[in-house]
Amino acid sequence: MKIYNKNAREAHLMAEAYTRIYTEAVNGNDIDLTNDPSAQQVQKKAIPLQFRIAEQPETIQTKEGPVKAPVGAYIMTGTKGENWPIPADKFKETYDIIDDQHAAKKPLPVPAKQMQEDFFVTVSWSPDKLNGKPGDWLVQYGPGDYGVVGAGIFDETYDTL
């Protein structure tokens, strides 16, 4: 009986957390970092990262939440073993392929802001949401194209310009 109560309590706490995120959190898609005076220009370091190409539709468990990856999407593996999908056209536009398993981000300056509250963004090419917490970074890759980067990963993989 205790196991059931523990699992029920954990499920209840998880439901409360999701409710809080989607009712109290800031929608990062509503922030135009190109006009935000508190945003900084940053650039991802050209760190070689491993990638693979999705051979069938799949859901990638990113650090910020699950994201659907269609066939042909590039699935990146970051410096901490984290994964995220990128549509094929966006990958080719923003990454330099090093070999058949590795690529590095092209030097593309983008605005970013370290957030002080819970926030979320909707991925530009799907309805999936990424969740951020205080201290994480909101990054605007282009008009309507946002991402969430954890503070520790941001410090390791981005340069402030």
Side-chain angles (χ1 to χ4, degrees):
M1 192 63 139
K2 287 183 180 182
I3 292 174
Y4 173 76
N5 288 338
K6 180 181 176 190
N7 289 343
R9 174 142 175 78
E10 287 176 1
H12 176 73
L13 291 173
M14 184 71 82
E16 282 181 345
Y18 278 110
T19 299
R20 188 184 79 252
I21 286 171
Y22 293 119
T23 59
E24 298 174 15
V26 172
N27 182 344
N29 296 88
D30 292 340
I31 302 172
D32 181 2
L33 294 178
T34 61
N35 293 316
D36 187 327
S38 63
Q40 303 174 41
Q41 282 295 108
V42 301
Q43 183 172 291
K44 194 161 188 180
K45 296 176 183 176
I47 300 169
L49 299 174
Q50 190 170 3
F51 72 85
R52 66 180 176 81
I53 300 172
E55 296 179 6
Q56 60 188 15
E58 59 184 290
T59 299
I60 304 301
Q61 298 300 323
T62 75
K63 290 180 81 69
E64 300 80 21
V67 178
K68 292 177 186 67
V71 171
Y74 285 69
I75 313 302
M76 302 300 295
T77 300
T79 59
K80 302 291 185 199
E82 72 280 13
N83 293 295
W84 68 93
I86 303 174
D89 59 337
K90 182 132 187 93
F91 176 86
K92 292 172 184 170
E93 177 183 310
T94 60
Y95 279 81
D96 287 321
I97 295 176
I98 297 167
D99 60 35
D100 63 351
Q101 294 183 355
H102 297 89
K105 188 79 169 188
K106 292 179 180 179
L108 302 168
V110 294
K113 177 180 181 175
Q114 192 166 28
M115 301 295 284
Q116 303 305 312
E117 60 274 315
D118 288 331
F119 68 104
F120 67 92
V121 297
T122 303
V123 178
S124 64
W125 43 273
S126 85
D128 299 314
K129 291 191 182 336
L130 302 176
N131 301 304
K133 59 188 181 303
D136 288 349
W137 287 79
L138 173 64
V139 181
Q140 186 173 357
Y141 300 109
D145 186 11
Y146 292 85
V148 176
V149 181
I153 291 172
F154 185 90
D155 291 342
E156 182 182 333
T157 61
Y158 281 80
D159 285 322
T160 303
L161 302 178

